[in-house]
Amino acid sequence: MSIATKSLIETENRLGAHNYKPLDVVLARGEGVWVWDVEGKRYLDCLSAYSAVNQGHCHPKILATMTEQAKKLTLTSRAFRNDQLALFYEEIAALTGSHKVLPMNSGAEAVESAIKAVRKWGYEVKGVPENQAEIIVCSENFHGRTLGIVGFSTDPSARGGFGPFAPGFKIVPFGDAAAFEAAITPNTVAFLVEPIQGEAGVIIPTQGYFTKVRELCTRHGVTLILDEIQTGLGRTGKLLAEEHEGIEADVTLIGKALSGGFYPVSAVLSNSDVLGVLKPGQHGSTFGGNPLACAIARTAMKVLVEDGMIENSAKQGAYFKERIENIRSNSVREVRGRGLMLAVELHPEAGGARRYCEALRERGILVKDTHVDTIRIAPPLVVTEDQIDWATEQFEQVLTALEP
Ligand SMILES: *Cc1c(COP(=O)(O)O)cnc(C)c1O
């Protein structure tokens, strides 16, 4: 490690809150699937900022839009209108088939906004008695870091020490439709769930779970909110992960790759009358729907489609999964995933995923461990077969060299 690298890490550690434990690699530049550290060493990014850079680092078309728009107009607040918002609405509605759009910034804000809207919908439309609205969520969920959200997390490190929390949430096991059905009451306004649990380690529910969930939501007048902040925008090989299940959510949350990693942009997409309950002054955000964000998101969505990234995700995802499945190593317990949202779960005896991530870093691959034994693999959706072949060699070397 160079003195420059060491010094930057020491300064971070001295001045920053220690709420992250990053790998000791200090990145300075990115292009497509590649990133370079301050020493000029190149890495294949297999995390994509938790799927926020699906379009690849510093995509030239998104960059051009950003610089162009930044010279013209960046922020008006919603006290006035701007010439990008209507076009953003039009294009996101056409892309996703939604009828109503609420633009926000971070993913957590989109989740919080949906919770607010759906509660209000419960009182005004469904007729739930005041302050009795219930929302069902899943164990091992990840929906963000705000107080409202961590209050219904089941991860002790996400919620420990942060209480007291807001009431009104019920937790059921992910993938268990019977448990979901049993939790529904006349006061249930929504079911908030990830199509594939990303932070939990890329957990895919069994076939038919979401069909049953969709049926139950419709039958009981429960709004189905799919958090597609990580799974959406091509990550799983479809525009939205719900397409794999053949269902449609009532409310869809997207964020992360909505800006291709340039800027925090998120949105609540609604197919029912849920967003209709929000009246002037009842919800807002200074930066939500600003012209810079809208312009960036418009191009980020456009390149996703025009550059064939969603199809590439399906094709290269299947190829990458097969290549990794063919690695013979006593470390590997299971390989799972959909599209380019992949995970390698190691055996408990393998010694933890972190040391595999460190070894892969040495070989020029950046991946992140999750839940002790799982390595998540999610390169930008522009990854090529040659790059996957090279990455597979590095995985093979590391998985066999460190096997128990
Ligand atoms: C990342 C993520 C969020 C939170 O997004 P932020 O932009 O970090 O607030 C919410 N839900 C899911 C599924 C995510 O992956």
Side-chain angles (χ1 to χ4, degrees), residues 47-96:
L47 182 68
S48 306
Y50 298 95
S51 296
V53 286
N54 284 0
Q55 295 87 337
H57 289 275
C58 299
H59 191 289
K61 287 182 189 158
I62 310 176
L63 175 64
T65 298
M66 185 176 193
T67 50
E68 223 172 90
Q69 184 62 42
K71 284 183 208 157
K72 287 197 271 188
L73 186 66
T74 56
L75 183 62
T76 55
S77 87
R78 296 287 302 279
F80 314 115
R81 300 178 190 269
N82 74 71
D83 70 352
Q84 293 297 309
L85 184 59
L87 304 176
F88 167 70
Y89 283 161
E90 224 167 22
E91 289 164 17
I92 202 170
L95 183 68
T96 62

Coordinates of all heavy atoms in Angstrom, one line a residue, residues 47-96:
L47 N -19.7 -5.1 -7.8 CA -20.7 -4.6 -6.8 C -21.6 -3.6 -7.4 O -22.8 -3.5 -7.2 CB -20.0 -4.1 -5.5 CG -21.0 -3.7 -4.4 CD1 -21.7 -4.9 -3.9 CD2 -20.3 -2.9 -3.3
S48 N -21.0 -2.7 -8.3 CA -21.8 -1.7 -9.0 C -22.5 -0.7 -8.0 O -23.6 -0.4 -8.2 CB -22.8 -2.3 -9.9 OG -22.2 -3.2 -10.8
A49 N -21.8 -0.4 -6.9 CA -22.4 0.5 -5.9 C -23.8 0.0 -5.5 O -24.8 0.7 -5.5 CB -22.4 1.9 -6.4
Y50 N -23.9 -1.3 -5.2 CA -25.1 -2.0 -4.8 C -26.2 -1.8 -5.9 O -27.3 -1.6 -5.6 CB -25.6 -1.4 -3.4 CG -24.7 -1.7 -2.3 CD1 -23.7 -0.7 -1.9 CD2 -24.7 -2.9 -1.6 CE1 -22.8 -1.0 -0.9 CE2 -23.8 -3.2 -0.6 CZ -22.9 -2.2 -0.2 OH -22.0 -2.5 0.8
S51 N -25.7 -1.9 -7.1 CA -26.6 -1.8 -8.3 C -27.1 -0.4 -8.7 O -28.1 -0.2 -9.4 CB -27.9 -2.7 -8.2 OG -27.4 -4.1 -8.1
A52 N -26.3 0.6 -8.2 CA -26.7 2.0 -8.6 C -26.0 2.3 -9.9 O -26.4 3.2 -10.6 CB -26.3 3.0 -7.5
V53 N -24.9 1.6 -10.3 CA -24.2 1.9 -11.6 C -24.4 0.7 -12.6 O -23.5 0.3 -13.2 CB -22.7 2.2 -11.4 CG1 -22.5 3.6 -10.9 CG2 -22.0 1.2 -10.6
N54 N -25.7 0.3 -12.7 CA -26.0 -0.7 -13.7 C -25.5 -0.3 -15.1 O -25.1 -1.2 -15.9 CB -27.6 -0.9 -13.8 CG -28.1 -1.7 -12.6 OD1 -27.3 -2.1 -11.7 ND2 -29.4 -1.9 -12.6
Q55 N -25.6 1.0 -15.4 CA -25.2 1.4 -16.8 C -23.7 1.5 -17.0 O -23.2 1.9 -18.0 CB -25.8 2.8 -17.0 CG -27.3 2.9 -17.1 CD -28.0 3.0 -15.7 OE1 -27.4 2.7 -14.6 NE2 -29.2 3.5 -15.6
G56 N -22.9 1.2 -15.9 CA -21.4 1.3 -16.0 C -21.0 2.6 -15.5 O -21.7 3.6 -15.5
H57 N -19.7 2.7 -15.0 CA -19.2 3.9 -14.4 C -19.1 5.0 -15.5 O -18.6 4.8 -16.6 CB -17.9 3.7 -13.8 CG -18.0 2.9 -12.5 ND1 -18.2 3.4 -11.3 CD2 -17.9 1.5 -12.3 CE1 -18.3 2.5 -10.4 NE2 -18.1 1.3 -11.0
C58 N -19.5 6.2 -15.1 CA -19.3 7.4 -15.9 C -19.8 7.2 -17.4 O -19.1 7.6 -18.3 CB -17.9 7.9 -15.9 SG -17.3 8.3 -14.2
H59 N -21.0 6.7 -17.5 CA -21.5 6.4 -18.9 C -21.5 7.8 -19.6 O -22.0 8.8 -19.2 CB -23.0 5.9 -18.8 CG -23.5 5.4 -20.1 ND1 -23.8 6.3 -21.1 CD2 -23.7 4.2 -20.6 CE1 -24.1 5.6 -22.2 NE2 -24.1 4.3 -21.9
P60 N -20.9 7.8 -20.8 CA -20.6 9.1 -21.5 C -21.9 9.8 -21.9 O -21.9 11.1 -21.8 CB -19.9 8.6 -22.8 CG -20.0 7.2 -22.9 CD -20.2 6.6 -21.5
K61 N -23.0 9.1 -22.2 CA -24.2 9.9 -22.5 C -24.9 10.5 -21.3 O -25.4 11.6 -21.3 CB -25.2 8.9 -23.2 CG -24.8 8.6 -24.6 CD -25.8 7.7 -25.3 CE -25.3 7.2 -26.6 NZ -26.0 6.0 -27.1
I62 N -24.8 9.8 -20.2 CA -25.4 10.3 -18.9 C -24.5 11.5 -18.5 O -25.0 12.6 -18.1 CB -25.5 9.3 -17.8 CG1 -26.2 8.0 -18.3 CG2 -26.3 9.9 -16.6 CD1 -26.3 6.9 -17.3
L63 N -23.2 11.3 -18.6 CA -22.3 12.4 -18.3 C -22.6 13.7 -19.1 O -22.6 14.8 -18.5 CB -20.8 11.9 -18.5 CG -19.8 13.0 -18.3 CD1 -19.7 13.5 -16.8 CD2 -18.4 12.5 -18.7
A64 N -22.8 13.5 -20.4 CA -23.0 14.6 -21.3 C -24.3 15.3 -20.8 O -24.4 16.6 -20.8 CB -23.1 14.2 -22.7
T65 N -25.4 14.5 -20.5 CA -26.6 15.1 -20.1 C -26.4 15.9 -18.8 O -26.9 17.0 -18.6 CB -27.7 14.0 -19.8 OG1 -27.9 13.4 -21.1 CG2 -29.0 14.6 -19.3
M66 N -25.7 15.3 -17.9 CA -25.5 15.9 -16.6 C -24.8 17.3 -16.7 O -25.2 18.3 -16.2 CB -24.7 15.0 -15.7 CG -24.5 15.6 -14.3 SD -23.7 14.4 -13.2 CE -24.0 15.1 -11.6
T67 N -23.7 17.3 -17.5 CA -22.9 18.6 -17.6 C -23.7 19.6 -18.4 O -23.8 20.8 -18.0 CB -21.6 18.4 -18.3 OG1 -21.8 17.6 -19.5 CG2 -20.6 17.6 -17.5
E68 N -24.5 19.2 -19.4 CA -25.3 20.1 -20.2 C -26.4 20.7 -19.3 O -26.6 21.9 -19.3 CB -26.0 19.3 -21.3 CG -26.0 20.0 -22.6 CD -26.5 19.0 -23.6 OE1 -27.8 18.9 -23.8 OE2 -25.7 18.2 -24.2
Q69 N -27.1 19.9 -18.5 CA -28.2 20.3 -17.7 C -27.6 21.2 -16.5 O -28.3 22.2 -16.2 CB -29.0 19.2 -17.2 CG -30.2 19.6 -16.4 CD -31.3 20.4 -17.2 OE1 -31.5 20.1 -18.3 NE2 -31.8 21.5 -16.6
A70 N -26.5 20.8 -16.0 CA -25.9 21.6 -14.9 C -25.6 23.0 -15.3 O -25.6 23.9 -14.5 CB -24.7 20.9 -14.3
K71 N -25.3 23.2 -16.6 CA -25.0 24.6 -17.0 C -26.3 25.4 -17.2 O -26.2 26.6 -17.2 CB -24.3 24.5 -18.4 CG -22.8 24.1 -18.3 CD -22.2 24.1 -19.7 CE -21.0 23.1 -19.7 NZ -20.8 22.7 -21.1
K72 N -27.4 24.7 -17.4 CA -28.6 25.4 -17.6 C -29.4 25.7 -16.4 O -29.8 26.9 -16.1 CB -29.5 24.6 -18.6 CG -29.0 24.6 -20.0 CD -30.1 24.2 -21.0 CE -30.0 22.7 -21.2 NZ -30.9 22.2 -22.3
L73 N -29.8 24.7 -15.6 CA -30.6 24.8 -14.5 C -30.5 23.6 -13.6 O -30.6 22.5 -14.1 CB -32.1 25.0 -14.9 CG -33.1 25.4 -13.8 CD1 -32.9 26.7 -13.2 CD2 -34.6 25.3 -14.4
T74 N -30.3 23.7 -12.3 CA -30.1 22.5 -11.5 C -31.3 22.4 -10.5 O -31.7 21.3 -10.2 CB -28.8 22.6 -10.6 OG1 -28.8 23.8 -9.9 CG2 -27.6 22.6 -11.6
L75 N -31.8 23.5 -9.9 CA -32.8 23.3 -8.8 C -33.7 24.5 -8.8 O -33.3 25.7 -8.9 CB -32.0 23.2 -7.5 CG -32.9 22.9 -6.3 CD1 -33.6 21.6 -6.3 CD2 -32.0 22.9 -5.0
T76 N -35.0 24.2 -8.8 CA -36.0 25.3 -8.7 C -36.8 25.1 -7.4 O -37.5 26.1 -7.0 CB -37.0 25.1 -9.9 OG1 -37.5 23.8 -9.9 CG2 -36.3 25.4 -11.2
S77 N -36.8 24.0 -6.8 CA -37.7 23.5 -5.8 C -39.1 23.3 -6.5 O -39.3 23.8 -7.6 CB -37.9 24.5 -4.6 OG -38.8 25.5 -4.9
R78 N -40.0 22.7 -5.8 CA -41.3 22.4 -6.5 C -42.2 23.6 -6.3 O -43.4 23.5 -6.6 CB -41.9 21.1 -5.9 CG -41.0 19.8 -6.2 CD -41.1 19.4 -7.7 NE -42.5 19.2 -8.1 CZ -43.2 18.0 -7.9 NH1 -42.6 17.0 -7.3 NH2 -44.4 17.9 -8.3
A79 N -41.7 24.7 -5.7 CA -42.5 25.9 -5.7 C -42.8 26.4 -7.1 O -43.8 27.1 -7.3 CB -41.8 27.0 -4.9
F80 N -41.9 26.1 -8.0 CA -42.1 26.4 -9.4 C -42.0 25.1 -10.2 O -41.5 24.1 -9.8 CB -41.0 27.4 -9.9 CG -40.9 28.6 -8.9 CD1 -39.7 28.8 -8.2 CD2 -42.0 29.4 -8.6 CE1 -39.6 29.8 -7.3 CE2 -41.9 30.4 -7.7 CZ -40.7 30.6 -7.0
R81 N -42.4 25.2 -11.5 CA -42.2 24.1 -12.4 C -40.9 24.1 -13.1 O -40.3 25.2 -13.2 CB -43.4 24.0 -13.4 CG -44.8 23.9 -12.6 CD -45.9 23.9 -13.6 NE -47.2 24.1 -12.9 CZ -47.9 23.0 -12.5 NH1 -47.5 21.8 -12.7 NH2 -49.0 23.2 -11.8
N82 N -40.4 23.0 -13.6 CA -39.2 23.0 -14.5 C -39.5 22.2 -15.7 O -40.4 21.3 -15.8 CB -38.0 22.5 -13.7 CG -38.0 21.0 -13.5 OD1 -37.8 20.2 -14.4 ND2 -38.2 20.6 -12.2
D83 N -38.7 22.4 -16.7 CA -39.0 21.9 -18.1 C -38.6 20.4 -18.2 O -38.7 19.8 -19.3 CB -38.4 22.7 -19.2 CG -36.9 22.7 -19.3 OD1 -36.3 22.1 -18.3 OD2 -36.3 23.2 -20.2
Q84 N -38.0 19.8 -17.2 CA -37.6 18.4 -17.3 C -38.5 17.4 -16.6 O -38.6 16.3 -17.0 CB -36.2 18.2 -16.6 CG -35.1 18.9 -17.4 CD -34.9 18.4 -18.8 OE1 -34.7 17.2 -19.0 NE2 -34.9 19.2 -19.8
L85 N -39.3 17.9 -15.6 CA -40.1 17.1 -14.8 C -41.2 16.4 -15.6 O -41.4 15.1 -15.5 CB -40.7 17.9 -13.7 CG -41.6 17.1 -12.6 CD1 -40.7 16.0 -12.0 CD2 -42.1 18.0 -11.6
A86 N -41.9 17.1 -16.5 CA -43.0 16.5 -17.3 C -42.4 15.4 -18.2 O -43.0 14.3 -18.3 CB -43.7 17.6 -18.1
L87 N -41.3 15.7 -18.8 CA -40.7 14.7 -19.7 C -40.2 13.5 -18.9 O -40.3 12.3 -19.4 CB -39.5 15.4 -20.4 CG -39.9 16.6 -21.2 CD1 -38.7 17.3 -21.8 CD2 -40.9 16.4 -22.3
F88 N -39.7 13.7 -17.7 CA -39.3 12.6 -16.9 C -40.5 11.7 -16.5 O -40.5 10.5 -16.7 CB -38.6 13.1 -15.6 CG -38.5 12.1 -14.5 CD1 -37.6 11.0 -14.6 CD2 -39.3 12.1 -13.3 CE1 -37.4 10.1 -13.6 CE2 -39.1 11.2 -12.3 CZ -38.2 10.2 -12.5
Y89 N -41.6 12.3 -16.2 CA -42.9 11.6 -15.9 C -43.3 10.8 -17.1 O -43.7 9.6 -17.0 CB -44.0 12.6 -15.5 CG -44.0 13.2 -14.1 CD1 -44.7 14.4 -13.9 CD2 -43.2 12.6 -13.1 CE1 -44.7 15.0 -12.6 CE2 -43.2 13.2 -11.8 CZ -43.9 14.4 -11.6 OH -43.9 14.9 -10.3
E90 N -43.3 11.5 -18.2 CA -43.8 10.8 -19.4 C -43.0 9.6 -19.8 O -43.5 8.5 -20.1 CB -43.7 11.8 -20.6 CG -44.9 11.9 -21.5 CD -44.8 13.1 -22.4 OE1 -43.7 13.6 -22.7 OE2 -45.9 13.4 -22.9
E91 N -41.7 9.7 -19.7 CA -40.8 8.6 -20.1 C -40.8 7.5 -19.1 O -40.7 6.3 -19.4 CB -39.4 9.2 -20.3 CG -39.4 10.0 -21.6 CD -38.2 10.9 -21.8 OE1 -37.1 10.7 -21.1 OE2 -38.2 11.8 -22.6
I92 N -40.8 7.8 -17.8 CA -40.8 6.7 -16.8 C -42.2 6.0 -16.8 O -42.2 4.8 -16.6 CB -40.4 7.3 -15.4 CG1 -39.9 6.1 -14.5 CG2 -41.6 8.0 -14.7 CD1 -39.3 6.6 -13.2
A93 N -43.2 6.8 -17.1 CA -44.6 6.1 -17.1 C -44.6 5.2 -18.4 O -45.1 4.1 -18.3 CB -45.7 7.2 -17.2
A94 N -44.1 5.6 -19.5 CA -44.1 4.8 -20.7 C -43.2 3.6 -20.5 O -43.6 2.5 -20.9 CB -43.5 5.6 -21.9
L95 N -42.1 3.7 -19.8 CA -41.2 2.6 -19.6 C -41.8 1.6 -18.7 O -41.6 0.4 -18.9 CB -39.8 3.1 -19.0 CG -38.7 2.1 -18.8 CD1 -38.2 1.6 -20.2 CD2 -37.6 2.7 -18.0
T96 N -42.4 2.0 -17.6 CA -42.8 1.1 -16.5 C -44.3 0.8 -16.6 O -44.8 -0.1 -15.8 CB -42.5 1.6 -15.2 OG1 -43.2 2.9 -15.0 CG2 -41.0 1.9 -15.0

